[in-house]
Amino acid sequence: MRYDFDKVINRLNTASVKWDEVDRIFGDKDLLPLWVADMDFQVPAPVTDALRARVEHGIFGYTERPESYYEAVIGWMERRHQWSVQKEWICHCPGVVPALSYLVQVFTQPGDKVIIQPPVYHPFTSVVADNGREVVHNPLKYEEGRYFMDFEDLRQKMDPSVKLLILCNPHNPGGRVWTKEELTELGNICLENNVMVISDEIHGDLILKGHKHIPFAAISEEFAQSSIICTAPSKTFNMAGMQTSNIIIPNQEYREAFQKMMSTLVLRMTNTFGVVATEAAYRHGDEWLDQLLVYLQGNLDFLTEYIETHIKGIKVIQPEGTYLVWLDCRELGMDAKGLQEFMGKQAKVAVNQGHVFGPGGEQFIRLNMACPRSLIEEGLERIAKAVSSCRSVAN
């Protein structure tokens, strides 16, 4: 079937964090929400159909993950990423971020060091620091509008107290889809220093044209045995509210340690609708996703042309994956606080401020382009008008 991603759906008064919490979070209910990684698109029709059928059954008791669920996950990974995953590797967790926190607790001790690569998804910092571990920054290099890993710096940061590296693959917010060569060099450095890699691959299905997602553990058996891969249907199919993720752990010792933590926290049970939605999405969601990726590319092309034509002082960092666009606002001449106030009070758009992503994120913003194009146009028009007014006052 043909999906209509141009359709604007009113999400107000649906308990949507993205729309209904704007006033609480940003202090102004009149901002256009272009922030949190949550799409304004309906899920694939087969997901809705499966959920409707389950609702009509009318009984929602304790739910297990059936064999068909695992088959759907395995089939998706093989079909979309050419990665052969075994059933026993797949562990449940309510979400990827909770999984990151639990993994830090399981595989490190208070005071141990964990490496992250800023500017990067801000919960990476909190799941380390809030658990009493030390955050070590291996900053990405920003060169000619593109991010690269700094392997020399990474080698220098390695010492016996470093136990984990949390990888963002694809990278959020920079949009890089790391190549096999980059991942291999990173993995070899970690192997040489006995450092486990926890790879957050929640955006791994959202890859734009000309690029390919490489699951870290699929590169070699050595990498598979020294890493944990965090996946979920939540970003791919806009199902974050289903609270379902699949943590893939080929190493039996690691897997048993994680599952013990889940049992200790009494988190082994599954959301009934999360199971149904995930299986339906992974079995029947290819058509919807293929169309979505074409639409997202169109949104990116529109956004890029609009900014280059109408908004002086902002540059688009071209994403290779995800539906998040990282915008370089340094030429506007504002510090982090000034940029935040400008976007909220003058442009009237709710975007993620770059400074929360750590060192290197100041004077950048992250914009979510996973919405009908008309909303992107409205947001860009607001920003363009505010920038023009600001420059007029300055002159």
Side-chain angles (χ1 to χ4, degrees):
M1 65 179 293
R2 184 72 184 172
Y3 290 96
D4 181 10
F5 296 105
D6 280 321
K7 181 182 179 181
V8 177
I9 300 169
N10 184 1
R11 299 184 63 188
L12 291 172
N13 302 314
T14 63
S16 162
V17 171
K18 182 177 184 180
W19 286 83
D20 291 323
E21 294 291 291
V22 166
D23 190 11
R24 181 183 65 82
I25 295 171
F26 294 90
D28 186 344
K29 64 181 178 60
D30 294 324
L31 304 189
L32 180 65
L34 295 172
W35 62 297
V36 66
D38 176 329
M39 295 191 278
D40 291 318
F41 305 130
Q42 291 180 327
V43 300
V47 174
T48 304
D49 293 341
L51 288 169
R52 184 179 295 111
R54 187 67 183 85
V55 167
E56 290 175 353
H57 181 265
I59 300 176
F60 315 115
Y62 296 121
T63 301
E64 190 50 83
R65 294 172 293 283
E67 188 70 24
S68 58
Y69 174 94
Y70 292 100
E71 290 173 354
V73 174
I74 291 168
W76 182 265
M77 292 299 171
E78 181 68 48
R79 194 164 66 250
R80 304 297 295 199
H81 305 297
Q82 296 73 57
W83 183 27
S84 297
V85 171
Q86 297 180 24
K87 174 188 173 182
E88 59 266 26
W89 298 356
I90 304 170
C91 303
H92 170 74
C93 189
V96 167
V97 173
L100 295 177
S101 182
Y102 304 146
L103 290 167
V104 168
Q105 294 176 49
V106 171
F107 295 106
T108 65
Q109 297 297 320
D112 284 346
K113 296 178 180 178
V114 179
I115 294 177
I116 64 174
Q117 297 175 304
V120 71
Y121 184 48
H122 49 89
F124 282 19
T125 297
S126 59
V127 299
V128 176
D130 291 352
N131 281 309
R133 279 63 168 173
E134 181 180 342
V135 177
V136 176
H137 290 145
N138 168 225
L140 299 179
K141 297 187 292 185
Y142 180 49
E143 300 175 351
E144 298 181 357
R146 198 161 181 255
Y147 283 95
F148 299 89
M149 294 188 192
D150 189 337
F151 295 115
E152 182 179 350
D153 178 76
L154 179 60
R155 289 188 177 91
Q156 293 175 356
K157 297 290 173 61
M158 291 291 182
D159 68 50
S161 59
V162 174
K163 304 301 180 182
L164 302 177
L165 182 146
I166 305 180
L167 171 68
C168 202
N169 176 36
H171 189 263
N172 170 14
R176 277 300 315 278
V177 174
W178 303 117
T179 64
K180 183 176 182 180
E181 291 72 24
E182 289 170 312
L183 293 172
T184 298
E185 186 160 2
L186 175 91
N188 285 335
I189 294 171
C190 290
L191 279 178
E192 292 165 6
N193 291 276
N194 197 31
V195 171
M196 180 194 297
V197 173
I198 299 174
S199 186
D200 176 355
E201 304 192 3
I202 197 168
H203 290 278
D205 297 319
L206 297 161
I207 307 301
L208 299 173
K209 64 181 181 182
H211 302 281
K212 179 175 175 56
H213 172 64
I214 308 293
F216 181 82
I219 294 175
S220 71
E221 179 62 19
E222 291 78 12
F223 287 7
Q225 291 300 315
S226 63
S227 66
I228 292 173
I229 312 302
C230 300
T231 71
S234 52
K235 302 304 180 190
T236 307
F237 297 106
N238 204 28
M239 304 194 314
M242 293 295 178
Q243 296 288 286
T244 303
S245 68
N246 296 296
I247 312 305
I248 302 176
I249 312 178
N251 183 301
Q252 182 177 349
E253 181 182 346
Y254 294 169
R255 186 167 64 248
E256 290 175 353
F258 179 72
Q259 290 174 327
K260 182 178 179 181
M261 169 65 86
M262 292 296 96
S263 295
T264 300
L265 297 173
V266 197
L267 288 173
R268 296 293 296 274
M269 300 301 295
T270 304
N271 179 301
T272 301
F273 297 107
V275 169
V276 171
T278 297
E279 180 174 341
Y282 281 156
R283 285 188 180 280
H284 309 294
D286 295 80
E287 182 181 41
W288 181 91
L289 178 58
D290 290 341
Q291 292 179 34
L292 170 71
L293 292 174
V294 172
Y295 190 82
L296 290 176
Q297 185 65 55
N299 276 359
L300 177 60
D301 294 343
F302 171 81
L303 178 148
T304 300
E305 182 179 2
Y306 189 101
I307 289 178
E308 290 178 348
T309 304
H310 301 289
I311 307 179
K312 185 177 181 181
I314 297 181
K315 294 181 179 179
V316 180
I317 313 302
Q318 289 292 315
E320 300 167 353
T322 82
Y323 50 71
L324 306 165
V325 186
W326 192 231
L327 300 176
D328 183 347
C329 303
R330 291 177 297 173
E331 290 183 12
L332 293 179
M334 304 174 189
D335 60 16
K337 183 178 180 181
L339 183 60
Q340 181 172 342
E341 292 181 350
F342 174 79
M343 288 295 166
K345 294 181 179 179
Q346 294 178 253
K348 293 292 185 178
V349 293
V351 293
N352 292 101
Q353 295 299 317
H355 65 86
V356 304
F357 296 91
E362 306 84 357
Q363 299 178 292
F364 288 73
I365 61 172
R366 192 190 75 174
L367 183 147
N368 180 349
M369 66 173 180
C371 61
R373 200 158 300 157
S374 61
L375 296 183
I376 293 179
E377 184 173 13
E378 180 183 346
L380 294 177
E381 286 176 349
R382 292 186 183 196
I383 294 172
K385 182 178 179 180
V387 170
S388 179
S389 298
C390 184
R391 291 190 179 278
S392 294
V393 171
N395 292 333

